[in-house]
Amino acid sequence: MGKAWISVWFQSSTTPWKVDLDCAREASTVLKAQVRCIASGWQEGDDPDEWWRVEAGEEVKMQWVTD
């Protein structure tokens, strides 16, 4: 059985978090689950496969590649 994922996109520049990683940290703590966010914050020309994996207070930059 595979993992279940959900995607959240905030279409706003006025969120309580300065960067996406701050949101991922808070979500991981509150949900007690692994959270991933893109490392670049969706900047044009950045590597779309580079992500942060946040879980149990640990943050790891990773390549998220699916086949």
Side-chain angles (χ1 to χ4, degrees):
M1 178 183 257
K3 295 193 180 230
W5 297 100
I6 188 167
S7 178
V8 177
W9 175 38
F10 298 104
Q11 191 174 0
S12 173
S13 61
T14 57
T15 66
W17 309 283
K18 194 167 208 165
V19 294
D20 293 349
L21 184 55
D22 293 338
C23 177
R25 289 176 181 132
E26 187 171 339
S28 179
T29 298
V30 170
L31 299 171
K32 294 178 178 46
Q34 183 184 117
V35 174
R36 295 182 184 185
C37 72
I38 195 153
S40 67
W42 297 103
Q43 299 289 330
E44 184 73 30
D46 286 345
D47 183 354
D49 294 329
E50 188 174 51
W51 293 74
W52 283 105
R53 182 179 67 228
V54 181
E55 186 172 25
E58 183 178 321
E59 300 170 12
V60 178
K61 196 177 273 189
M62 55 169 280
Q63 293 290 311
W64 190 355
V65 180
T66 58
D67 295 322

